[in-house]
Amino acid sequence: MSIELALVPIAIALTQTIGSHIEKKRETRHTYALKTIMKDARILQTTLNNYGCAPSIIGNGEMKSEIGDVQILFQQTEQDIFEAVFSNEIKLEQAKGFLINIQEEYSHVVQQETYVKLLERAKQQGLLLETEEVSDTNSIVLTFKVN
């Protein structure tokens, strides 16, 4: 038990040191970060590809993306949510507009994947799709017939 107690202060000190290094990096790079709703790296990568960005996974929960000559860094927080890191050269309003578009596309990709999985599982369970309605808000109502 004494080993566990000794490791806790070391882990706390290490975490604080890493956090301060990240903040120093941000200060020297002149960047700011905006939180997003996105959690899944694979879906984020698909979303960025769909949007015309050129994403590349850096590692450690980080992904770099380029649109034109602008680079954006996506990094996962401790809560497993991505935040987008922008250069101070990019206006905050432009960054927020970009993220709104990316998050809408992300939601669309999630909806598409859920739709496909639902249809596959329904088929496996012997259900037949009877009707499909798409509302004005882009939600889909599926009615299945039991065999």
Side-chain angles (χ1 to χ4, degrees):
M1 190 164 295
S2 63
I3 294 173
E4 291 176 18
L5 294 175
L7 292 177
V8 171
I10 293 171
I12 292 171
L14 183 61
T15 303
Q16 289 174 343
T17 304
I18 292 170
S20 66
H21 284 301
I22 290 171
E23 287 304 313
K24 285 180 184 175
K25 263 186 172 178
R26 280 197 184 160
E27 289 172 12
T28 58
R29 288 187 180 175
H30 305 290
T31 61
Y32 61 94
L34 298 175
K35 290 190 180 201
T36 72
I37 61 166
M38 301 174 283
K39 287 186 170 187
D40 189 297
R42 183 188 56 77
I43 295 175
L44 175 57
Q45 189 173 17
T46 300
T47 299
L48 292 169
N49 277 322
N50 291 352
Y51 199 74
C53 300
S56 58
I57 295 175
I58 299 171
N60 297 329
E62 292 186 338
M63 185 180 308
K64 183 177 77 170
S65 182
E66 297 177 14
I67 186 162
D69 59 345
V70 176
Q71 289 190 359
I72 303 154
L73 176 68
F74 290 91
Q75 56 188 18
Q76 274 186 310
T77 65
E78 292 175 359
Q79 296 80 26
D80 288 331
I81 297 173
F82 279 96
E83 65 180 8
V85 181
F86 295 91
S87 166
N88 283 340
E89 296 171 2
I90 300 170
K91 293 181 181 177
L92 182 60
E93 295 79 28
Q94 291 174 324
K96 285 182 178 179
F98 171 78
L99 279 183
I100 287 170
N101 292 335
I102 291 296
Q103 291 178 140
E104 285 176 5
E105 178 65 22
Y106 182 90
S107 297
H108 183 70
V109 171
V110 169
Q111 184 181 28
Q112 284 178 318
E113 289 188 4
T114 303
Y115 173 80
V116 169
K117 285 179 188 176
L118 182 62
L119 290 179
E120 288 173 359
R121 288 183 184 157
K123 187 176 181 179
Q124 290 171 355
Q125 298 297 320
L127 302 174
L128 296 173
L129 181 61
E130 194 169 84
T131 63
E132 176 179 329
E133 297 175 32
V134 180
S135 72
D136 295 337
T137 61
N138 244 2
S139 37
I140 303 171
V141 177
L142 304 173
T143 307
F144 291 95
K145 183 177 181 180
V146 180
N147 260 353

